[in-house]
Amino acid sequence: MPRRQESPDAVKVRTLPVQVAAHLTRRIVNGEIDEGRAPSEIEISSEFGVSRVVARETLKILASLDIVDVAQGRRVVVRPRAEWDYLSPLLIEWLPTEIVDELLQELHQMRALLEPELAAMAAAAVTGETLERLRDELDRMAALEADPEAYLEVDHEFHMEICRAADNRILDRIMYSARWLGTASRRLTNEAPAGLRRATAQHTEIYDALVARDPEGARAAMRRHLSNNYSTLVAEQRSKH
């Protein structure tokens, strides 16, 4: 999937338990494993020719992602898909394109609920130091419009800076936990013609409202930005199918 590629310098080294967990997850998603039942430690060891230690670690990974429940003396049970940990970068990497597309749209729904209010909260409490950092990030955005991968990092940091300025630790952790999906979403919307130049202009509108200490203006500017992003996301997804 082009939009989930990392930079050319990135190298992923996956351990054997992670590789087996990825394979099993894809089989569950594709309906190749009986509903409600996952392979046991012994079955994984036998099928994949791996040690019991590797099989045990595989199940621990799946359990950590809420894909299965593992209980001593009981069979391994597949959890309902709605309960899986969709904020995990590992799980996102293993899912088929159509499910990731749905998750990216759901991410935008979450952002549309939270980020306009975070911007309004930040406008009421933002400090001069935060405004200086945001100004620096805007300048970097303008300089990186020909480098989408580098732009991604600055874009994410701009939004997290606003979140931190709102001074709500719970909301901060929610936003931070969604960063992997956020990166995937930004990578896609940045592919649109003039996408980065448009994004810089929209971020500037948000910044101007923060400088003016205008909560309603910041809320509206963030809402426009996210609405434009959503429209671009849907259009880019359709163009790839």
Side-chain angles (χ1 to χ4, degrees):
M1 289 177 55
R3 61 180 164 280
R4 283 186 281 163
Q5 290 177 351
E6 295 188 351
S7 65
D9 296 329
V11 176
K12 290 184 179 179
V13 179
R14 296 306 190 204
T15 64
L16 190 52
V18 170
Q19 293 178 50
V20 177
H23 185 80
L24 289 173
T25 299
R26 293 185 182 112
R27 285 175 57 186
I28 293 170
V29 171
N30 292 334
E32 298 170 16
I33 291 179
D34 291 341
E35 185 173 351
R37 184 185 182 281
S40 67
E41 184 180 305
I42 295 174
E43 290 169 330
I44 291 172
S45 180
S46 174
E47 179 179 352
F48 292 95
V50 297
S51 68
R52 291 285 294 273
V53 172
V54 169
R56 191 174 306 120
E57 288 302 312
T58 296
L59 289 175
K60 285 182 180 178
I61 292 168
L62 294 175
S64 73
L65 298 172
D66 296 324
I67 296 173
V68 302
D69 273 332
V70 183
Q72 191 71 29
R74 294 171 51 194
R75 67 178 187 174
V76 183
V77 178
V78 177
R79 292 171 58 89
R81 294 191 194 182
E83 298 176 2
W84 293 5
D85 182 8
Y86 292 106
L87 295 179
S88 165
L90 269 182
L91 180 54
I92 297 305
E93 184 181 310
W94 301 341
L95 294 174
T97 303
E98 60 271 18
I99 294 180
V100 175
D101 284 347
E102 293 170 359
L103 291 172
L104 294 184
Q105 293 191 31
E106 291 172 13
L107 172 73
H108 270 269
Q109 292 172 352
M110 182 275 284
R111 292 185 66 191
L113 287 171
L114 294 185
E115 290 204 59
E117 297 310 311
L118 284 170
M121 292 165 66
V126 69
T127 65
E129 291 81 3
T130 295
L131 290 173
E132 287 180 11
R133 288 192 292 270
L134 288 169
R135 180 70 260 177
D136 288 344
E137 285 155 8
L138 276 178
D139 291 342
R140 291 176 63 200
M141 286 180 194
L144 292 170
E145 288 175 358
D147 188 347
E149 283 298 319
Y151 192 103
L152 280 173
E153 296 182 15
V154 185
D155 188 342
H156 171 74
E157 183 56 27
F158 182 92
H159 285 266
M160 287 306 302
E161 195 71 63
I162 292 172
C163 186
R164 286 189 287 269
D167 196 25
N168 183 300
R169 288 169 291 186
I170 301 301
L171 292 175
D172 181 272
R173 290 301 87 191
I174 290 172
M175 292 294 298
Y176 184 77
S177 297
R179 66 193 182 281
W180 306 111
L181 276 172
T183 296
S185 174
R186 289 180 174 95
R187 184 169 284 123
L188 183 57
T189 56
N190 287 351
E191 292 178 6
L196 295 183
R197 187 167 64 251
R198 184 165 54 246
T200 301
Q202 292 168 4
H203 287 107
T204 300
E205 291 181 5
I206 297 167
Y207 170 78
D208 289 343
L210 294 174
V211 171
R213 269 70 173 188
D214 177 5
E216 187 50 47
R219 181 185 289 114
M222 182 66 78
R223 189 174 288 128
R224 284 193 299 272
H225 171 54
L226 294 175
S227 177
N228 289 334
N229 270 6
Y230 183 77
S231 298
T232 301
L233 174 70
V234 172
E236 288 297 309
Q237 287 177 336
R238 288 174 178 166
S239 72
K240 294 181 181 297
H241 295 293

